[in-house]
Amino acid sequence: METIKEMNIDVKHIATLTGHSGCVYGMDKGMSEHTVFTGGSDRFIALWNLETLQAEKFSASLPAPIYAICHIPEKNILLAGTTTGSIHILDLEKKEEIKILQHHIGPVFDIQYSIKTNCFYTAGGDGNFAVCDLDTMSLLKMKKLSQEKVRNIDFNDTTSEIAVALGDSNVLIFDLQTLDYKKDFIAHQLAEKIIGANTVRYSPDGKFLLTGGRDAHLNIWKVGNYELVKSIPAHNWAIYDIVFSPDGSLFATASRDKTIKIWDAKTYQILKRITKENFEAHTHSVNKLIWSSFHNYLVSAGDDRMVMVREVNKI
């Protein structure tokens, strides 16, 4: 039986934002701390204002469902990856599409960028991991990592590493600057059956890597040797996202089981379970999380077409 440690945080539902007509899969911070971009199966990108709790006068329509969104404020562009493998590059100042990349032949599940390398990185359902130049928006390198999906990407600025989660259960570690291979390990399995890794997230201090998989486990790995520190049966179904609070003291997990859970980042104790039974919550899979520094809002998006905003405070 899971032990709930209800003691030091308060979660308040602020708003449920409606407007999408399909599942919401992609989300990223907007042009300020109080805005977020969302996109999904309805092929639309929306911009939400967390201050007014309304949609901004911005929208973009793409020819295919959207799985991934990446806002690059330093370049004033927005990248959107679709189910057909296309990556659409939108100039936010001109409010127009400036380029389409088609180097993946499977869905684009994740897009991340690094100003340190001046590159952005894409994870494809075709098993490919791609690197593109942020100035020319052209493909620099393509790596075939798996016969399964490449699901998620995260950076460790402390150690200058990239972690990549694969659908074949492996997590691969590369050098950020050179992309040289450093380490790989089986991150998730169920009853000795290898099962997909869905998400990777480095702790803000760079000392630990958190992974979530189709086995519903949250695994914590020590950076360096990447030995398993702790394995927690965190959810009833697959974990789709992990996000840290702005001060790094908490993190949240999102799952296909319709729940969000908030955890102590030092002890890995669960502090709050957000479900339909005890909160206004998602009725379907929760796919994506953002933890904004604006009022410490935790924003979630899911298959129920909803974007939900909650304020999290320590008490």
Side-chain angles (χ1 to χ4, degrees), residues 37-287:
F37 288 105
T38 58
S41 64
D42 60 3
R43 307 180 183 188
F44 279 93
I45 299 173
L47 177 64
W48 304 94
N49 188 316
L50 300 181
E51 191 170 27
T52 64
L53 301 173
Q54 299 291 327
E56 293 281 89
K57 291 182 178 179
F58 169 92
S59 66
S61 177
L62 300 188
I66 300 157
Y67 272 175
I69 290 176
C70 179
H71 176 220
I72 306 177
E74 295 88 348
K75 306 289 185 179
N76 206 22
I77 60 173
L78 184 69
L79 310 180
T82 73
T83 56
T84 62
S86 61
I87 299 165
H88 297 255
I89 303 171
L90 309 177
D91 185 311
L92 294 175
E93 186 176 355
K94 296 178 181 178
K95 297 183 179 179
E96 64 182 24
E97 185 175 85
I98 56 175
K99 195 168 187 176
I100 302 174
L101 302 177
Q102 190 71 58
H103 52 254
H104 287 289
I105 57 172
V108 178
F109 287 108
D110 196 20
I111 308 172
Q112 300 292 335
Y113 79 100
S114 170
I115 289 298
K116 286 186 176 182
T117 63
N118 201 45
C119 293
F120 67 89
Y121 305 78
T122 60
D126 53 6
N128 287 320
F129 171 74
V131 186
C132 296
D133 185 275
L134 267 178
D135 291 328
T136 64
M137 300 294 159
S138 57
L139 180 66
L140 296 177
K141 187 176 291 189
M142 180 88 83
K143 283 178 174 282
K144 181 73 172 180
L145 300 185
S146 175
Q147 296 302 314
E148 300 291 332
K149 303 169 183 175
V150 182
R151 292 302 305 257
N152 199 231
I153 303 162
D154 199 29
F155 307 111
N156 189 336
D157 290 329
T158 304
T159 61
S160 192
E161 292 177 333
I162 305 176
V164 184
L166 307 181
D168 62 12
S169 86
N170 282 291
V171 167
L172 275 61
I173 310 296
F174 298 99
D175 181 275
L176 177 61
Q177 297 294 335
T178 65
L179 279 188
D180 289 343
Y181 162 85
K182 293 185 72 173
K183 182 82 174 177
D184 69 88
F185 53 94
I186 294 174
H188 293 273
Q189 55 186 29
L190 189 62
E192 299 185 356
K193 180 184 177 182
I194 292 171
I195 199 161
N198 288 335
T199 184
V200 283
R201 194 71 61 234
Y202 281 106
S203 59
D205 62 9
K207 294 181 179 179
F208 298 96
L209 178 68
L210 280 61
T211 66
R214 286 179 58 207
D215 58 359
H217 276 63
L218 169 69
N219 290 342
I220 296 96
W221 310 85
K222 186 176 180 180
V223 170
N225 55 19
Y226 287 94
E227 288 186 358
L228 183 63
V229 175
K230 196 175 184 68
S231 183
I232 304 168
H235 286 271
N236 295 326
W237 294 93
I239 296 173
Y240 284 151
D241 204 10
I242 303 169
V243 65
F244 278 86
S245 62
D247 68 1
S249 65
L250 305 169
F251 67 89
T253 54
S255 172
R256 186 183 172 188
D257 68 7
K258 311 173 189 177
T259 71
I260 298 168
K261 295 185 179 182
I262 300 177
W263 309 77
D264 186 307
K266 287 186 177 179
T267 65
Y268 303 111
Q269 279 268 14
I270 184 169
L271 302 177
K272 197 74 73 173
R273 184 201 290 117
I274 300 170
T275 71
K276 199 67 180 173
E277 286 70 38
N278 59 357
F279 283 94
E280 186 170 348
H282 290 283
T283 59
H284 294 71
S285 174
V286 188
N287 301 324

